[in-house]
Amino acid sequence: MKTPTRRKELMDRLIKEEVVKTVLSMIHEDQPLTMDDVASRCGVSKGTLYNYFKNKKALLSFVHEAMIFPIKNGADQLFGKSICPMEKLYTFVKNVFNFHKEYPLYFKFIQSQRSAAEATDEKMSLTILPLVKVCKEGMASGDFVNMDPYVMAAMIFGAVTGPMESLGYREEPIQDIEAFKKDIICLLDRSILKKQEKSR
């Protein structure tokens, strides 16, 4: 490979990494996102930024892909593990909390930038359909109550992400996030575990 080509590839990668970091910082600071502001904070000209991204939508799509790739990769690894279905769900809850802790405003921001169809497609492919497989595993092993696995998967998704979305709308902030997480896990246990069904 020619040295100028390697240098250009390295510069391209560094600029794109800086764009992702900058956009995430601006979201975290609740700053308005414009191409001018992103370019300025990245230390490049607006023209340079437009060499990489034809508009703000393309820039945000790139940032979102950069954010979603590790989540998707982690979900694929988690849901493919040879562990019991409930352990997969507990780890899923933990991962959602960890992501929210690191990027508290990200999904609220990105949802405001995307169409409902885009958000639904991503939710289905990234989370609901893998959860359907976990639900089927749990039913096949006799650990989960028998019901439509798509209903169960959607309920699990809502039970985990719904409370997380409520954090920004509460009158008073959550003081004990671990207790909050335990409440969600307790709700999942009571809703889907067969042993809970017997004790009702």
Side-chain angles (χ1 to χ4, degrees):
M1 185 183 289
K2 294 179 183 175
T3 304
T5 305
R6 283 185 70 187
R7 191 175 296 132
K8 182 179 182 330
E9 285 177 359
L10 179 62
M11 285 304 298
D12 289 350
R13 195 176 85 236
L14 289 173
I15 288 172
K16 287 178 177 179
E17 285 173 2
E18 188 60 30
V19 164
V20 172
K21 263 190 343 194
T22 298
V23 169
L24 291 176
S25 291
M26 292 173 78
I27 291 169
H28 182 69
E29 294 161 14
D30 207 14
Q31 294 292 317
L33 271 171
T34 66
M35 294 293 274
D36 282 323
D37 291 336
V38 172
S40 173
R41 286 187 58 163
C42 285
V44 299
S45 71
K46 188 175 171 183
T48 299
L49 198 61
Y50 275 106
N51 285 337
Y52 293 95
F53 310 103
K54 67 179 180 179
N55 52 35
K56 181 179 163 184
K57 184 174 181 180
L59 181 143
L60 289 177
S61 269
F62 177 81
V63 171
H64 188 61
E65 285 302 313
M67 293 298 292
I68 285 299
F69 178 76
I71 295 172
K72 183 172 185 343
N73 200 30
D76 289 345
Q77 288 179 12
L78 166 63
F79 293 130
K81 273 187 177 176
S82 296
I83 56 176
C84 76
M86 207 62 209
E87 279 305 312
K88 290 180 184 181
L89 294 185
Y90 294 151
T91 306
F92 168 68
V93 173
K94 182 177 142 199
N95 291 350
V96 170
F97 269 77
N98 288 343
F99 185 89
H100 179 78
K101 184 178 177 183
E102 196 165 352
Y103 306 105
L105 300 177
Y106 179 72
F107 277 113
K108 184 177 179 183
F109 169 81
I110 206 67
Q111 296 302 21
S112 72
Q113 305 294 315
R114 308 172 78 219
S115 73
E118 288 172 320
T120 299
D121 285 347
E122 184 172 88
K123 176 175 74 175
M124 289 303 292
S125 64
L126 195 63
T127 312
I128 302 285
L129 294 178
L131 283 173
V132 167
K133 291 180 183 172
V134 175
C135 293
K136 287 179 178 178
E137 288 173 23
M139 288 177 215
S141 67
D143 294 324
F144 291 6
V145 295
N146 285 314
M147 67 167 65
D148 184 311
Y150 290 85
V151 170
M152 185 181 281
M155 184 277 300
I156 292 166
F157 180 83
V160 178
T161 61
M164 298 303 287
E165 289 169 0
S166 78
L167 291 176
Y169 298 94
R170 289 171 171 257
E171 292 172 13
E172 294 181 21
I174 290 279
Q175 299 300 319
D176 187 349
I177 202 76
E178 282 304 309
F180 180 65
K181 182 164 63 172
K182 283 179 186 170
D183 284 345
I184 291 173
I185 288 171
C186 180
L187 177 65
L188 291 178
D189 284 350
R190 289 181 179 178
S191 303
I192 65 178
L193 285 178
K194 207 161 208 171
K195 65 181 181 188
Q196 296 291 335
E197 184 182 49
K198 289 175 189 168
S199 63
R200 284 179 202 158

